[in-house]
Amino acid sequence: MQVTSRFTEKDSLKRFCFTPIPNAVDIAFLDTKKFNIENAEIFIELLPQFKEAHNDVLALVILLQVIPFTAKEIMLDFPVSAHFSDTVKKYFKRTIGPVDSELRPRAIGKRHALAFSGGADSCAALSLMPKDTISVFLSRTSPEGRKTLYKPEAAIASCEAVRKTGRKVHMVETNLEYGRSPVGFPCDYANASPAIIHADTFDLRSVNFGMILESACRLGDVKFLELYKRSQPFAWFNLFNAAGINFSLPTSGLSEILTAKISCSAEVRSWLPQSCVRGDQNKPCMNCYKCFRKQLMEAAVTGIPVQPNHFKIILTSKEVRKKLEQVPIHHEIGMAYSIANMPPIEDPFFGALRNRLAPVSSYGDNLGFLNCFYHPMLRYIDEDLRDFVHKRINEFAPDMTDQQVDFVKNWDGLKLSETRQYQEAFEHQLKIVDEAYEKRRQRAAAKKRKRPHLAIYKKLTKAVRGNQFRPLTQRNVGKSYMLSINNLTWSLLRKLGVIKREK
C-alpha cells in the first residue's frame, strides 16, 4: 500500500489529506474480503489552533484507515520512528516505512480526550470523566450527490448542549467513512482520528472511547473473552501507546444497562443523548435495531412502558427482523434483561421474545450483575484517570462481588441458546413473526388492488422529497390510474399544480 499525504489550506481552512493506493498484493488480498478500499482522497479538517503533529501520530491516523485493506506493506511519504515501526510489525504483521532511526517517539502529554458521538454510551463515558476532558466529535461529510441515511442534527445538538455546560467540545469534519466500500468506519477506532491528529495541539495523554462491557469482552454474545486475548483491540491498544497516546476505556466495565441508567440521569439527560443516527433531533427513526434495543433498555431502567406499537417495528424493519433471527441475538444479554425488567405489555412479539430469552434472563443472579461494575476492566482506563473514574462509577453502581465476576467470566451464550426452552420459543417466535408479516403483506396487496391511485401518491411524495418534482399530465400518469381516481381528487391535484390539463 502506497500512501501519499499533504497539508492544505484554503480560505483559512486547514486539512490533512492522504490517498491510499493499493498494490497488486493488496488487490489480491481484498478479493477475499467482503469490503474494499475506495480510490479517494481522505481528508480531516484541522482546527484553527492546530500545531504540527508528530510523524507517528500522522501515521496512526493513516493506519486506522488502511490497515484493514493492506496485505503486507505500507509505504508513506514521511518517516516514522523505529519504535512505531517495530510495534506495527509485532502486532499487525505488516511493515511500515520509511523509518528514521533518529526520530524519537512522541512524548506522552497531560490531557485527556474523548472520541465523542453524542450517543448514550458516549455521553455516559463523558459524565464519568473530569470536566476538563476534551470531547472531539467526528462530523461526517459525504461527497456531493451521495445519498446517506445518516442525520447529524441530533449529535450536533448534543455537542452544543455539552458545550453550554462549560466543557470543551470540538466538531471536526472528515470524509473517512467514504474511503471504503460499503461506506463505514474502516476499523472500530477510526472515529478517534480527529482527536488523534490534534494530540500535539491539545497535549494529549489519552484518547478515550465509550466502549461497553458487551463490546469489550463479547459479553452477551457467544462467549466471554478477555479484551487482552482479542487480537485486534489489543493490537490497536499497543499501537496507540507507540504513538505516545494511551488507549483508554472508561466504560468498558459497564454493561449497556448501566450506561442507559447513567444516560437517564438528570445531568446526562440535559446533554440530549441519542444513539440513533438516522432520526431527527429528539425523534429517533424507530426503524433500526439500535432504536428497538435502546427503547427497551430505557423502559427497564426508568419503569416507563414503551409505546404500545413498539414491537410492530419487527414487521416494518427488515434490519430488526434479521437481528432477532440471529442466535444469539446481538447483545442478547441486554435484551434479555430489558424484556425481563420492563413493564410488560400485551403483545404477541413481546411474549415470544420473553419466552425465548427466559433461560438467558435467569442466568447468574437473574442478570443482576449487569447493575454492577466489572472492576477488572480498570486496567484499561488510563492510570491518570483510574481513581477518578472509579469513584464516579461507584456513584451509580457498586463493584461486582467475586461471585458476580465469575458470572461474567463464565458467560456462554451459545450454551444457553441450546436449551430446549430457548429453541422451542425461538421456533415459535419465527412462526408468529412470519405469519404476521404474511398477513400484513396480503393486506397491503389487497389495499393496493382496491386503490391503485396510491401508487401516484407514493411517486409524488418521493419526487417532492427528492426535489425532483415535475408536474404530471393525465397522459403520462396512465389510463389505469385515471379510472381509479374520482373527479374531486383530480380537481385537487390540479389546484395544487401537481397535474396539468392536456391542451
Side-chain angles (χ1 to χ4, degrees):
M1 184 76 70
Q2 188 85 24
V3 183
T4 60
S5 63
R6 62 195 178 103
F7 285 93
T8 66
E9 183 171 357
K10 184 178 180 181
D11 299 329
S12 300
L13 182 66
K14 300 177 183 179
R15 286 180 171 181
F16 174 64
C17 308
F18 60 94
T19 305
I21 306 170
N23 56 32
V25 178
D26 298 323
I27 293 171
F29 168 72
L30 289 169
D31 283 341
T32 65
K33 306 296 181 180
K34 294 181 179 180
F35 51 80
N36 211 326
I37 191 170
E38 285 287 320
N39 183 20
E41 182 178 67
I42 309 303
F43 74 83
I44 301 174
E45 288 195 356
L46 305 172
L47 298 172
Q49 61 267 44
F50 175 78
K51 298 177 182 178
E52 289 187 3
H54 191 284
N55 283 9
D56 291 350
V57 169
L58 297 178
L60 176 58
V61 170
I62 291 172
L63 290 183
L64 284 164
Q65 188 73 25
V66 306
I67 277 284
F69 312 107
T70 305
K72 294 182 179 180
E73 183 183 52
I74 301 109
M75 290 303 297
L76 308 175
D77 53 2
F78 58 86
V80 297
S81 70
H83 175 60
F84 188 86
S85 175
D86 291 343
T87 306
V88 173
K89 182 70 174 179
K90 180 178 180 179
Y91 291 99
F92 289 96
K93 312 303 179 188
R94 293 167 175 83
T95 59
I96 186 171
V99 177
D100 183 352
S101 58
E102 296 184 0
L103 179 63
R104 298 181 63 182
R106 176 182 182 269
I108 196 166
K110 298 179 180 178
R111 304 181 71 185
H112 305 281
L114 172 68
F116 186 68
S117 71
D121 300 331
S122 190
C123 285
L126 182 59
S127 74
L128 301 176
M129 299 179 66
K131 290 187 177 181
D132 62 354
T133 298
I134 302 167
S135 297
V136 185
F137 171 70
L138 184 153
S139 181
R140 310 180 192 187
T141 300
S142 57
E144 188 175 351
R146 290 286 294 267
K147 293 182 178 179
T148 176
L149 294 174
Y150 174 72
K151 294 184 178 181
E153 290 78 15
I156 292 173
S158 182
C159 288
E160 295 294 349
V162 172
R163 188 178 285 163
K164 287 178 181 178
T165 66
R167 291 178 179 258
K168 295 288 186 182
V169 182
H170 298 282
M171 293 183 279
V172 177
E173 289 194 2
T174 175
N175 67 341
L176 66 81
E177 284 188 289
Y178 289 86
R180 56 155 270 184
S181 178
V183 174
F185 289 120
C187 75
D188 289 342
Y189 314 109
N191 66 317
S193 298
I196 293 167
I197 202 166
H198 291 93
D200 292 310
T201 302
F202 296 134
D203 189 31
L204 292 187
R205 172 186 172 90
S206 74
V207 171
N208 294 259
F209 297 84
M211 180 185 289
I212 55 174
L213 181 57
E214 288 89 334
S215 300
C217 299
R218 294 181 177 174
L219 180 69
D221 288 328
V222 177
K223 199 168 185 178
F224 174 84
L225 184 65
E226 292 280 6
L227 183 62
Y228 71 85
K229 293 182 179 179
R230 297 180 58 194
S231 58
Q232 283 298 311
F234 193 61
W236 286 112
F237 191 94
N238 285 278
L239 192 57
F240 271 63
N241 289 348
I245 304 170
N246 289 337
F247 185 105
S248 182
L249 305 172
T251 54
S252 60
L254 304 180
S255 69
E256 195 172 13
I257 295 299
L258 265 180
T259 56
K261 184 179 292 186
I262 294 172
S263 68
C264 288
S265 64
E267 179 189 31
V268 183
R269 275 282 192 192
S270 69
W271 296 348
L272 309 177
Q274 181 171 303
S275 296
C276 176
V277 297
R278 300 179 190 173
D280 298 316
Q281 182 187 348
N282 293 325
K283 191 178 180 182
C285 75
M286 300 309 296
N287 197 49
C288 66
Y289 181 64
K290 186 172 284 187
C291 278
F292 181 76
R293 189 178 78 246
K294 291 288 188 180
Q295 292 292 321
L296 297 181
M297 290 183 177
E298 189 169 328
V301 168
T302 64
I304 301 173
V306 295
Q307 294 295 320
N309 62 347
H310 182 76
F311 286 88
K312 297 297 186 292
I313 299 175
I314 298 172
L315 298 180
T316 58
S317 171
K318 184 178 180 181
E319 176 187 333
V320 173
R321 198 159 56 251
K322 289 185 70 174
K323 289 287 187 181
L324 297 182
E325 290 172 359
Q326 294 176 353
V327 178
I329 301 171
H330 179 60
H331 286 193
E332 185 170 82
I333 195 167
M335 181 77 73
Y337 180 96
S338 302
I339 291 287
N341 291 276
M342 64 182 280
I345 62 173
E346 291 294 328
D347 186 283
F349 300 144
F350 169 78
L353 275 174
R354 181 175 54 185
N355 291 338
R356 172 187 174 181
L357 297 175
V360 181
S361 58
S362 62
Y363 173 77
D365 54 352
N366 295 324
L367 301 185
F369 60 89
L370 295 180
N371 289 305
C372 302
F373 173 50
Y374 182 66
H375 51 85
M377 297 303 286
L378 281 169
R379 74 182 76 168
Y380 298 109
I381 303 176
D382 183 273
E383 188 175 1
D384 187 49
L385 289 171
R386 198 168 295 161
D387 288 341
F388 182 91
V389 171
H390 194 187
K391 289 177 182 177
R392 283 287 292 149
I393 289 173
N394 286 156
E395 292 177 23
F396 295 95
D399 290 352
M400 289 187 183
T401 64
D402 290 343
Q403 184 184 39
Q404 289 175 323
V405 168
D406 288 339
F407 289 152
V408 173
K409 291 183 175 180
N410 294 325
W411 168 265
D412 190 338
L414 191 60
K415 185 177 180 180
L416 292 170
S417 67
E418 291 173 347
T419 61
R420 182 176 179 180
Q421 180 181 355
Y422 187 105
Q423 289 293 324
E424 289 179 352
F426 178 48
E427 291 299 324
H428 178 64
Q429 172 202 317
L430 294 179
K431 181 180 178 182
I432 67 169
V433 171
D434 286 346
E435 289 176 351
Y437 184 76
E438 180 60 23
K439 286 181 180 179
R440 183 175 179 273
R441 189 193 65 78
Q442 290 178 1
R443 285 197 301 268
K447 189 175 182 180
K448 187 176 180 179
R449 285 194 299 270
K450 290 180 180 178
R451 301 176 63 188
H453 61 278
L454 286 177
I456 293 178
Y457 293 135
K458 289 182 180 179
K459 288 183 179 180
L460 292 175
T461 302
K462 184 177 180 180
V464 171
R465 286 178 179 172
N467 293 322
Q468 298 172 346
F469 175 74
R470 181 166 60 90
L472 304 175
T473 65
Q474 293 178 6
R475 181 182 295 119
N476 61 32
V477 166
K479 292 182 179 180
S480 61
Y481 291 139
M482 281 180 61
L483 295 174
S484 66
I485 302 179
N486 60 39
N487 292 332
L488 180 62
T489 305
W490 279 110
S491 176
L492 178 60
L493 292 176
R494 288 194 190 101
K495 287 181 179 179
L496 292 173
V498 174
I499 294 179
K500 291 183 177 180
R501 286 185 179 275
E502 297 289 346
K503 294 184 178 179

mmCIF file of all heavy atoms in Angstrom, residues 248-287:
data_model
loop_
_atom_site.group_PDB
_atom_site.id
_atom_site.type_symbol
_atom_site.label_atom_id
_atom_site.label_comp_id
_atom_site.label_asym_id
_atom_site.label_seq_id
_atom_site.Cartn_x
_atom_site.Cartn_y
_atom_site.Cartn_z
ATOM 1 N N SER A 248 -7.749 4.396 26.195
ATOM 2 C CA SER A 248 -8.439 4.314 27.480
ATOM 3 C C SER A 248 -9.931 4.033 27.300
ATOM 4 O O SER A 248 -10.577 4.605 26.418
ATOM 5 C CB SER A 248 -8.235 5.630 28.245
ATOM 6 O OG SER A 248 -8.836 5.597 29.514
ATOM 7 N N LEU A 249 -10.467 3.155 28.157
ATOM 8 C CA LEU A 249 -11.859 2.701 28.029
ATOM 9 C C LEU A 249 -12.598 2.859 29.361
ATOM 10 O O LEU A 249 -12.753 1.891 30.122
ATOM 11 C CB LEU A 249 -11.896 1.222 27.584
ATOM 12 C CG LEU A 249 -11.139 0.874 26.301
ATOM 13 C CD1 LEU A 249 -11.102 -0.631 26.095
ATOM 14 C CD2 LEU A 249 -11.779 1.565 25.104
ATOM 15 N N PRO A 250 -13.088 4.056 29.666
ATOM 16 C CA PRO A 250 -13.712 4.304 30.976
ATOM 17 C C PRO A 250 -15.011 3.543 31.209
ATOM 18 O O PRO A 250 -15.398 3.335 32.360
ATOM 19 C CB PRO A 250 -13.956 5.814 30.979
ATOM 20 C CG PRO A 250 -13.990 6.202 29.540
ATOM 21 C CD PRO A 250 -13.026 5.287 28.852
ATOM 22 N N THR A 251 -15.724 3.130 30.161
ATOM 23 C CA THR A 251 -16.999 2.419 30.346
ATOM 24 C C THR A 251 -16.891 0.930 30.028
ATOM 25 O O THR A 251 -17.909 0.245 29.978
ATOM 26 C CB THR A 251 -18.098 3.039 29.452
ATOM 27 O OG1 THR A 251 -17.641 3.076 28.087
ATOM 28 C CG2 THR A 251 -18.445 4.442 29.896
ATOM 29 N N SER A 252 -15.684 0.424 29.835
ATOM 30 C CA SER A 252 -15.537 -0.971 29.405
ATOM 31 C C SER A 252 -15.945 -1.980 30.472
ATOM 32 O O SER A 252 -16.155 -3.155 30.171
ATOM 33 C CB SER A 252 -14.100 -1.240 28.957
ATOM 34 O OG SER A 252 -13.187 -0.998 30.010
ATOM 35 N N GLY A 253 -16.073 -1.536 31.728
ATOM 36 C CA GLY A 253 -16.539 -2.430 32.777
ATOM 37 C C GLY A 253 -18.016 -2.266 33.079
ATOM 38 O O GLY A 253 -18.546 -2.878 34.019
ATOM 39 N N LEU A 254 -18.700 -1.429 32.272
ATOM 40 C CA LEU A 254 -20.121 -1.161 32.470
ATOM 41 C C LEU A 254 -20.952 -1.863 31.399
ATOM 42 O O LEU A 254 -20.625 -1.807 30.211
ATOM 43 C CB LEU A 254 -20.410 0.345 32.405
ATOM 44 C CG LEU A 254 -19.642 1.249 33.358
ATOM 45 C CD1 LEU A 254 -20.058 2.702 33.139
ATOM 46 C CD2 LEU A 254 -19.888 0.851 34.800
ATOM 47 N N SER A 255 -22.037 -2.480 31.811
ATOM 48 C CA SER A 255 -22.969 -3.068 30.851
ATOM 49 C C SER A 255 -23.746 -1.961 30.153
ATOM 50 O O SER A 255 -23.776 -0.811 30.606
ATOM 51 C CB SER A 255 -23.935 -4.006 31.568
ATOM 52 O OG SER A 255 -24.812 -3.249 32.408
ATOM 53 N N GLU A 256 -24.410 -2.319 29.072
ATOM 54 C CA GLU A 256 -25.245 -1.349 28.368
ATOM 55 C C GLU A 256 -26.413 -0.902 29.238
ATOM 56 O O GLU A 256 -26.927 0.203 29.081
ATOM 57 C CB GLU A 256 -25.748 -1.947 27.056
ATOM 58 C CG GLU A 256 -26.316 -0.932 26.091
ATOM 59 C CD GLU A 256 -26.623 -1.517 24.730
ATOM 60 O OE1 GLU A 256 -26.628 -2.757 24.592
ATOM 61 O OE2 GLU A 256 -26.873 -0.731 23.800
ATOM 62 N N ILE A 257 -26.822 -1.760 30.156
ATOM 63 C CA ILE A 257 -27.885 -1.392 31.097
ATOM 64 C C ILE A 257 -27.407 -0.249 31.999
ATOM 65 O O ILE A 257 -28.148 0.709 32.262
ATOM 66 C CB ILE A 257 -28.292 -2.615 31.948
ATOM 67 C CG1 ILE A 257 -28.913 -3.707 31.072
ATOM 68 C CG2 ILE A 257 -29.258 -2.202 33.058
ATOM 69 C CD1 ILE A 257 -30.167 -3.287 30.344
ATOM 70 N N LEU A 258 -26.154 -0.333 32.452
ATOM 71 C CA LEU A 258 -25.629 0.712 33.325
ATOM 72 C C LEU A 258 -25.419 2.029 32.577
ATOM 73 O O LEU A 258 -25.696 3.107 33.121
ATOM 74 C CB LEU A 258 -24.306 0.253 33.946
ATOM 75 C CG LEU A 258 -24.398 -0.391 35.331
ATOM 76 C CD1 LEU A 258 -23.034 -0.806 35.829
ATOM 77 C CD2 LEU A 258 -25.046 0.564 36.325
ATOM 78 N N THR A 259 -24.926 1.965 31.336
ATOM 79 C CA THR A 259 -24.766 3.222 30.585
ATOM 80 C C THR A 259 -26.129 3.831 30.280
ATOM 81 O O THR A 259 -26.266 5.055 30.228
ATOM 82 C CB THR A 259 -23.972 3.017 29.285
ATOM 83 O OG1 THR A 259 -24.596 2.020 28.477
ATOM 84 C CG2 THR A 259 -22.533 2.610 29.581
ATOM 85 N N ALA A 260 -27.148 2.981 30.106
ATOM 86 C CA ALA A 260 -28.506 3.505 29.915
ATOM 87 C C ALA A 260 -28.984 4.201 31.181
ATOM 88 O O ALA A 260 -29.614 5.267 31.123
ATOM 89 C CB ALA A 260 -29.461 2.371 29.544
ATOM 90 N N LYS A 261 -28.662 3.618 32.330
ATOM 91 C CA LYS A 261 -29.050 4.226 33.611
ATOM 92 C C LYS A 261 -28.352 5.569 33.801
ATOM 93 O O LYS A 261 -28.973 6.556 34.221
ATOM 94 C CB LYS A 261 -28.682 3.274 34.756
ATOM 95 C CG LYS A 261 -29.120 3.758 36.123
ATOM 96 C CD LYS A 261 -28.748 2.738 37.204
ATOM 97 C CE LYS A 261 -29.544 1.461 37.077
ATOM 98 N NZ LYS A 261 -29.281 0.523 38.204
ATOM 99 N N ILE A 262 -27.059 5.636 33.458
ATOM 100 C CA ILE A 262 -26.314 6.895 33.586
ATOM 101 C C ILE A 262 -26.860 7.942 32.623
ATOM 102 O O ILE A 262 -27.021 9.112 32.976
ATOM 103 C CB ILE A 262 -24.813 6.652 33.334
ATOM 104 C CG1 ILE A 262 -24.224 5.762 34.436
ATOM 105 C CG2 ILE A 262 -24.055 7.979 33.267
ATOM 106 C CD1 ILE A 262 -22.799 5.317 34.175
ATOM 107 N N SER A 263 -27.181 7.517 31.390
ATOM 108 C CA SER A 263 -27.684 8.475 30.397
ATOM 109 C C SER A 263 -29.075 8.984 30.744
ATOM 110 O O SER A 263 -29.519 10.002 30.209
ATOM 111 C CB SER A 263 -27.681 7.849 29.000
ATOM 112 O OG SER A 263 -28.644 6.819 28.900
ATOM 113 N N CYS A 264 -29.775 8.295 31.656
ATOM 114 C CA CYS A 264 -31.096 8.747 32.111
ATOM 115 C C CYS A 264 -31.000 9.655 33.337
ATOM 116 O O CYS A 264 -32.026 10.151 33.807
ATOM 117 C CB CYS A 264 -31.991 7.550 32.430
ATOM 118 S SG CYS A 264 -32.568 6.651 30.963
ATOM 119 N N SER A 265 -29.787 9.872 33.840
ATOM 120 C CA SER A 265 -29.617 10.772 34.987
ATOM 121 C C SER A 265 -29.854 12.208 34.535
ATOM 122 O O SER A 265 -29.770 12.541 33.352
ATOM 123 C CB SER A 265 -28.215 10.618 35.586
ATOM 124 O OG SER A 265 -27.235 11.030 34.651
ATOM 125 N N ALA A 266 -30.129 13.077 35.482
ATOM 126 C CA ALA A 266 -30.513 14.458 35.161
ATOM 127 C C ALA A 266 -29.429 15.181 34.362
ATOM 128 O O ALA A 266 -29.716 15.856 33.367
ATOM 129 C CB ALA A 266 -30.824 15.219 36.444
ATOM 130 N N GLU A 267 -28.167 15.042 34.796
ATOM 131 C CA GLU A 267 -27.088 15.756 34.114
ATOM 132 C C GLU A 267 -26.961 15.303 32.664
ATOM 133 O O GLU A 267 -26.922 16.128 31.743
ATOM 134 C CB GLU A 267 -25.758 15.526 34.836
ATOM 135 C CG GLU A 267 -24.587 16.230 34.135
ATOM 136 C CD GLU A 267 -23.236 15.837 34.716
ATOM 137 O OE1 GLU A 267 -23.082 14.698 35.194
ATOM 138 O OE2 GLU A 267 -22.320 16.689 34.651
ATOM 139 N N VAL A 268 -26.899 14.003 32.463
ATOM 140 C CA VAL A 268 -26.663 13.487 31.110
ATOM 141 C C VAL A 268 -27.891 13.687 30.232
ATOM 142 O O VAL A 268 -27.773 13.912 29.025
ATOM 143 C CB VAL A 268 -26.242 12.001 31.162
ATOM 144 C CG1 VAL A 268 -25.917 11.482 29.765
ATOM 145 C CG2 VAL A 268 -25.028 11.826 32.075
ATOM 146 N N ARG A 269 -29.077 13.626 30.810
ATOM 147 C CA ARG A 269 -30.302 13.911 30.050
ATOM 148 C C ARG A 269 -30.228 15.295 29.406
ATOM 149 O O ARG A 269 -30.683 15.496 28.278
ATOM 150 C CB ARG A 269 -31.518 13.847 30.966
ATOM 151 C CG ARG A 269 -32.107 12.479 31.174
ATOM 152 C CD ARG A 269 -32.948 12.069 29.993
ATOM 153 N NE ARG A 269 -33.746 10.888 30.291
ATOM 154 C CZ ARG A 269 -34.388 10.185 29.382
ATOM 155 N NH1 ARG A 269 -34.334 10.540 28.111
ATOM 156 N NH2 ARG A 269 -35.082 9.125 29.713
ATOM 157 N N SER A 270 -29.647 16.237 30.138
ATOM 158 C CA SER A 270 -29.562 17.609 29.623
ATOM 159 C C SER A 270 -28.612 17.711 28.435
ATOM 160 O O SER A 270 -28.604 18.719 27.725
ATOM 161 C CB SER A 270 -29.110 18.564 30.733
ATOM 162 O OG SER A 270 -27.753 18.327 31.091
ATOM 163 N N TRP A 271 -27.801 16.674 28.210
ATOM 164 C CA TRP A 271 -26.886 16.661 27.062
ATOM 165 C C TRP A 271 -27.548 16.097 25.806
ATOM 166 O O TRP A 271 -26.902 15.957 24.780
ATOM 167 C CB TRP A 271 -25.637 15.843 27.392
ATOM 168 C CG TRP A 271 -24.809 16.419 28.497
ATOM 169 C CD1 TRP A 271 -24.922 17.661 29.052
ATOM 170 C CD2 TRP A 271 -23.750 15.763 29.205
ATOM 171 N NE1 TRP A 271 -23.994 17.827 30.050
ATOM 172 C CE2 TRP A 271 -23.249 16.681 30.169
ATOM 173 C CE3 TRP A 271 -23.161 14.510 29.119
ATOM 174 C CZ2 TRP A 271 -22.210 16.365 31.027
ATOM 175 C CZ3 TRP A 271 -22.116 14.186 29.967
ATOM 176 C CH2 TRP A 271 -21.654 15.096 30.919
ATOM 177 N N LEU A 272 -28.819 15.745 25.913
ATOM 178 C CA LEU A 272 -29.609 15.267 24.772
ATOM 179 C C LEU A 272 -28.993 14.063 24.065
ATOM 180 O O LEU A 272 -28.835 14.042 22.841
ATOM 181 C CB LEU A 272 -29.806 16.401 23.754
ATOM 182 C CG LEU A 272 -30.329 17.730 24.302
ATOM 183 C CD1 LEU A 272 -30.402 18.766 23.193
ATOM 184 C CD2 LEU A 272 -31.695 17.541 24.940
ATOM 185 N N PRO A 273 -28.631 13.009 24.813
ATOM 186 C CA PRO A 273 -28.029 11.844 24.149
ATOM 187 C C PRO A 273 -29.035 11.150 23.240
ATOM 188 O O PRO A 273 -30.207 11.000 23.581
ATOM 189 C CB PRO A 273 -27.637 10.946 25.327
ATOM 190 C CG PRO A 273 -28.574 11.328 26.430
ATOM 191 C CD PRO A 273 -28.796 12.802 26.263
ATOM 192 N N GLN A 274 -28.591 10.742 22.079
ATOM 193 C CA GLN A 274 -29.441 9.983 21.153
ATOM 194 C C GLN A 274 -28.537 9.056 20.343
ATOM 195 O O GLN A 274 -27.686 9.524 19.592
ATOM 196 C CB GLN A 274 -30.225 10.912 20.226
ATOM 197 C CG GLN A 274 -31.136 10.160 19.251
ATOM 198 C CD GLN A 274 -32.065 11.078 18.485
ATOM 199 O OE1 GLN A 274 -32.845 11.828 19.077
ATOM 200 N NE2 GLN A 274 -31.986 11.036 17.161
ATOM 201 N N SER A 275 -28.735 7.770 20.517
ATOM 202 C CA SER A 275 -27.875 6.795 19.850
ATOM 203 C C SER A 275 -28.233 6.602 18.383
ATOM 204 O O SER A 275 -27.386 6.223 17.573
ATOM 205 C CB SER A 275 -27.938 5.452 20.584
ATOM 206 O OG SER A 275 -27.428 5.573 21.905
ATOM 207 N N CYS A 276 -29.484 6.839 18.022
ATOM 208 C CA CYS A 276 -29.918 6.671 16.636
ATOM 209 C C CYS A 276 -29.337 7.788 15.768
ATOM 210 O O CYS A 276 -29.458 8.969 16.096
ATOM 211 C CB CYS A 276 -31.447 6.692 16.546
ATOM 212 S SG CYS A 276 -32.073 6.602 14.846
ATOM 213 N N VAL A 277 -28.711 7.409 14.644
ATOM 214 C CA VAL A 277 -28.120 8.406 13.747
ATOM 215 C C VAL A 277 -28.932 8.553 12.452
ATOM 216 O O VAL A 277 -28.488 9.213 11.518
ATOM 217 C CB VAL A 277 -26.659 8.025 13.398
ATOM 218 C CG1 VAL A 277 -25.797 8.037 14.645
ATOM 219 C CG2 VAL A 277 -26.587 6.665 12.714
ATOM 220 N N ARG A 278 -30.106 7.944 12.424
ATOM 221 C CA ARG A 278 -30.946 8.048 11.232
ATOM 222 C C ARG A 278 -32.172 8.930 11.454
ATOM 223 O O ARG A 278 -32.883 9.260 10.514
ATOM 224 C CB ARG A 278 -31.418 6.654 10.794
ATOM 225 C CG ARG A 278 -30.289 5.700 10.463
ATOM 226 C CD ARG A 278 -30.832 4.342 10.059
ATOM 227 N NE ARG A 278 -29.783 3.337 9.962
ATOM 228 C CZ ARG A 278 -30.013 2.054 9.758
ATOM 229 N NH1 ARG A 278 -31.254 1.620 9.620
ATOM 230 N NH2 ARG A 278 -29.010 1.199 9.684
ATOM 231 N N GLY A 279 -32.432 9.276 12.705
ATOM 232 C CA GLY A 279 -33.606 10.076 13.021
ATOM 233 C C GLY A 279 -33.262 11.535 13.218
ATOM 234 O O GLY A 279 -32.092 11.942 13.196
ATOM 235 N N ASP A 280 -34.299 12.342 13.407
ATOM 236 C CA ASP A 280 -34.112 13.757 13.672
ATOM 237 C C ASP A 280 -33.851 13.982 15.154
ATOM 238 O O ASP A 280 -33.963 13.059 15.968
ATOM 239 C CB ASP A 280 -35.352 14.541 13.230
ATOM 240 C CG ASP A 280 -35.609 14.411 11.739
ATOM 241 O OD1 ASP A 280 -34.633 14.506 10.969
ATOM 242 O OD2 ASP A 280 -36.778 14.205 11.343
ATOM 243 N N GLN A 281 -33.514 15.211 15.518
ATOM 244 C CA GLN A 281 -33.277 15.531 16.920
ATOM 245 C C GLN A 281 -34.528 15.268 17.748
ATOM 246 O O GLN A 281 -35.632 15.678 17.389
ATOM 247 C CB GLN A 281 -32.867 16.999 17.052
ATOM 248 C CG GLN A 281 -32.552 17.412 18.474
ATOM 249 C CD GLN A 281 -32.313 18.900 18.596
ATOM 250 O OE1 GLN A 281 -32.170 19.587 17.593
ATOM 251 N NE2 GLN A 281 -32.274 19.400 19.819
ATOM 252 N N ASN A 282 -34.353 14.556 18.868
ATOM 253 C CA ASN A 282 -35.454 14.172 19.765
ATOM 254 C C ASN A 282 -36.519 13.319 19.062
ATOM 255 O O ASN A 282 -37.633 13.198 19.554
ATOM 256 C CB ASN A 282 -36.127 15.415 20.368
ATOM 257 C CG ASN A 282 -35.210 16.151 21.315
ATOM 258 O OD1 ASN A 282 -34.412 15.536 22.023
ATOM 259 N ND2 ASN A 282 -35.291 17.476 21.317
ATOM 260 N N LYS A 283 -36.151 12.745 17.939
ATOM 261 C CA LYS A 283 -37.093 11.916 17.202
ATOM 262 C C LYS A 283 -36.337 10.790 16.502
ATOM 263 O O LYS A 283 -36.079 10.858 15.295
ATOM 264 C CB LYS A 283 -37.880 12.754 16.190
ATOM 265 C CG LYS A 283 -39.069 12.014 15.569
ATOM 266 C CD LYS A 283 -39.825 12.924 14.626
ATOM 267 C CE LYS A 283 -41.015 12.184 14.000
ATOM 268 N NZ LYS A 283 -41.746 13.052 13.026
ATOM 269 N N PRO A 284 -35.967 9.745 17.262
ATOM 270 C CA PRO A 284 -35.261 8.619 16.646
ATOM 271 C C PRO A 284 -36.081 8.000 15.518
ATOM 272 O O PRO A 284 -37.309 8.125 15.494
ATOM 273 C CB PRO A 284 -35.099 7.634 17.813
ATOM 274 C CG PRO A 284 -35.234 8.462 19.041
ATOM 275 C CD PRO A 284 -36.182 9.559 18.705
ATOM 276 N N CYS A 285 -35.401 7.340 14.590
ATOM 277 C CA CYS A 285 -36.103 6.805 13.413
ATOM 278 C C CYS A 285 -37.102 5.715 13.767
ATOM 279 O O CYS A 285 -38.067 5.484 13.033
ATOM 280 C CB CYS A 285 -35.086 6.267 12.407
ATOM 281 S SG CYS A 285 -34.337 4.668 12.854
ATOM 282 N N MET A 286 -36.868 4.996 14.881
ATOM 283 C CA MET A 286 -37.734 3.897 15.326
ATOM 284 C C MET A 286 -37.899 2.847 14.236
ATOM 285 O O MET A 286 -38.936 2.209 14.118
ATOM 286 C CB MET A 286 -39.105 4.437 15.764
ATOM 287 C CG MET A 286 -39.050 5.425 16.914
ATOM 288 S SD MET A 286 -38.099 4.830 18.330
ATOM 289 C CE MET A 286 -39.085 3.430 18.837
ATOM 290 N N ASN A 287 -36.828 2.670 13.456
ATOM 291 C CA ASN A 287 -36.866 1.666 12.390
ATOM 292 C C ASN A 287 -35.578 0.853 12.333
ATOM 293 O O ASN A 287 -35.449 -0.037 11.506
ATOM 294 C CB ASN A 287 -37.102 2.356 11.032
ATOM 295 C CG ASN A 287 -37.547 1.389 9.969
ATOM 296 O OD1 ASN A 287 -38.460 0.598 10.183
ATOM 297 N ND2 ASN A 287 -36.896 1.427 8.818
#
